[in-house]
Amino acid sequence: MTPTPLIGLEIHVQLKTHTKLFCGDVVAFDAAPNTNICPVCLGLPGALPMVNRAAIELALRAAIALGCELHMASSFTRKNYFYPDLPKGYQITQYEAPLATGGSLDDIPIRRVHVEEDAGKLLHDRLAGRTAIDMNRAGVPLLEIVTEPDLHTPAQARAFLVQLKRLLQYLGVSDCEMQKGSLRVDANVSLGGTPTEIKNMNSFAGLERALHAEIARQQALAAVNRPIIAETLAWNDVTGELRVLRIKEQREQYRYMVEPDLPPLRLEPARIDAIAAGLPMLPRQRAAQLKQHYGLRAQDADVLSASRALADYFEEVVALTGDARAAASWIMRDVLATANALQTEFAISAPRLAELIGLIARGELSSVAARSVFRRMCESDATAAQIVASEQLAPFDDSAQAAVWAEEILRSHPRELARYRAGEARILEFFVGKLLRMSNGRMDPRKARAIMTRTAQAR
Ligand code: MN
């Protein structure tokens, strides 16, 4: 019998503040190296840290939304270790008394939530044969969220991370852009015995693949009675391999000590109440609301609530057209095909999409021709009506001409006509398709079917 894997995630997200956690330096992803630095984040002698209230505010939003128990007094700790991107020789984090503990997301229990500062960044590709250091990131506020090891499959871990990311984006706590490093995930994995830790998973797919690889590795060791060592492993997404980085540190090695330059962080109940009252609707509620209000299928409501911007966009189109089904299908099929679901700007604005849907509803445009109008709208600022006029896409309504085409189609397909007459009703769709094509998709399919039926039966 193979034991069930136990997977825990440790997630770091960059809090969406204007300035760093303990000083007034601006947080900017694209700034020139070492331009947003000061004595505090460089750890120069005599520099004193001060806590950024905005960062604590964002951390509290997340902790409240996760249903955590908030601690009215938490403390900051120095985690001592040496690394070139950490000139202070320690990271200020929360260890013994974190901001919050407990809580859950989608029934996965959360162990703790705390704030800490980021380190600098080593750049290996700037100088030939040498490593450069950019300290702009040092002191940037991070939120660390640790789950209990209660995830059991790689797919479940991935799904949890997707929901957590969605939640934090809804809350405005973090951009959670993995490719920019504002969401980083580590995982611990065990088969019931010693856990190992995996670092360096830079995508959802990477997380899933790395977990599969580590579970398989531990199962193979167990099969030959070899022990699992408490190691820290790095995932290489290109080769699909895990590499041992180091034997996992014991907590003693970090020589945790209370940060002497910062007083305990105290929360006022009134402030917590105000933050809780100001929370936006959360993703699960928003999906449920879309499903209920507009009669959407659960999976469609899930897609359309991927971001607040997307849900708002959908609701605006519905408000303008009164047609939730058309809005949902146009957005999921066409709009999302041209944009990332989490973008705040879509290929065409809600009023423009609503105009297009309105033309179809009023019979002024066939749904087939509408697809090409949509593509044109994405490339220009022209309205749907302007494109219909300039491309001559208005519905084809000449029944006499259609009847002539129908005759032609039957005449040039005698074998198919014989099958139709022999009772093969399905073949009619073949004729209808031909007729629609002759009208360049401008004919109403129902009308085309009626004319085709009439013509075929008259022969
Ligand atoms: Mn951390």
Side-chain angles (χ1 to χ4, degrees), residues 10 12 79 91 93 114 116 144:
E10 187 178 307
H12 288 87
K79 180 180 181 178
Q91 175 197 28
T93 179
H114 72 246
E116 62 185 30
E144 181 176 317

Side-chain angles (χ1 to χ4, degrees), residues 3 5 32 90 125 140 191 197 214-215 240-241 297 326 335-336 422 432 445 451:
Y90 60 86
D125 53 1
V140 164
L191 296 178
E197 191 178 358
E214 177 56 8
I215 290 167
E241 281 169 347
R297 292 185 304 165
V335 177
L336 290 185
V432 173
I451 290 173

